[in-house]
Amino acid sequence: MASKGVSLKVKGKGSASKNKGSSSSSSSSDENSMCKALKDWSNWGLKKAKVIAHYGFIPLVIIIGMNSEPKPSLSQLLSPV
């Protein structure tokens, strides 16, 4: 199953470099820096969420199992039978 890549590039990026002296170039550069900051923060957040989900899933299942009724011992909870 192939997934499509999503690009977050701001359209009209090439026109901003042509209009260096106009006020639209400053707003365009603000949009570009804001877009880059948003991408950086979202990538950072997704990487942290991946690590948390990877290392936190099994301990979460054990904690939920320990708090269920009837209360099993840790050896009963971890045994495959």
Side-chain angles (χ1 to χ4, degrees):
M1 184 167 127
S3 62
K4 294 182 181 179
V6 177
S7 175
L8 296 177
K9 292 183 180 177
V10 177
K11 292 184 179 179
K13 189 174 179 181
S15 64
S17 63
K18 293 178 186 174
N19 299 330
K20 293 237 184 216
S22 68
S23 64
S24 66
S25 68
S26 64
S27 65
S28 177
S29 66
D30 290 342
E31 289 174 5
N32 288 340
S33 63
M34 193 169 228
C35 182
K36 182 173 177 2
L38 180 65
K39 282 185 358 183
D40 289 343
W41 276 101
S42 62
N43 284 338
W44 179 83
L46 288 174
K47 285 180 182 178
K48 296 298 179 187
K50 181 180 175 183
V51 171
I52 290 169
H54 182 79
Y55 288 109
F57 180 73
I58 292 179
L60 177 68
V61 169
I62 292 172
I63 290 170
I64 291 172
M66 291 292 285
N67 292 329
S68 65
E69 291 292 330
K71 297 230 182 256
S73 67
L74 187 61
S75 62
Q76 289 174 332
L77 189 63
L78 296 177
S79 69
V81 179

